[in-house]
Amino acid sequence: HVQLVESGGGLVQAGGSLRLSCAASGRTFSSSAMGWFRQAPGKEREFVASINLTGSRTYYEDSVKGRFTISRDNDKNAVYLQMNNLKPEDTAVYTCAAASWPSRNLKSYDYWGQGTQVTVSS
């Protein structure tokens, strides 16, 4: 069982940066792939990025490639999402999730955090 708590969201101007953190508790974190998803108002939740157990492989949604970086620290039971050059269309609630493999499909994820709001002003 994994419990997830996100932090680091906020209001930022376009072109700015934010770093989201996801703190995990539970013995299975180091054996879990992790993902970040986001949901904007009126839209479905969508895949943003994922990372495998060791952090050696990462995957990104096309619109965030080159701007966002996912990473993890298994010693600290944490996963991060560094977001640079933010755009108004990145505005959403960002949620981290745990799965058996770094899938792009949200149905593959067993555990979810509560989410953190990111708002990018133009």
Side-chain angles (χ1 to χ4, degrees), residues 9-88:
L11 174 64
V12 64
Q13 290 188 330
S17 298
L18 282 174
R19 187 193 194 207
L20 304 184
S21 299
C22 175
S25 61
R27 297 181 178 180
T28 59
F29 174 79
S30 59
S31 62
S32 298
M34 299 297 296
W36 284 97
F37 291 80
R38 66 185 179 185
Q39 187 169 20
K43 295 187 177 181
E44 293 185 351
R45 181 174 285 178
E46 65 175 4
F47 170 79
V48 175
S50 61
I51 189 166
N52 70 342
L53 307 182
T54 62
S56 62
R57 294 190 177 185
T58 58
Y59 306 89
Y60 297 94
E61 192 268 330
D62 286 347
S63 70
V64 307
K65 284 181 180 177
R67 300 189 298 124
F68 291 12
T69 303
I70 188 172
S71 62
R72 67 188 295 162
D73 186 334
N74 288 344
D75 290 335
K76 295 183 178 180
N77 277 12
V79 63
Y80 308 100
L81 186 67
Q82 177 67 43
M83 306 186 295
N84 297 328
N85 191 22
L86 282 160
K87 304 176 180 181

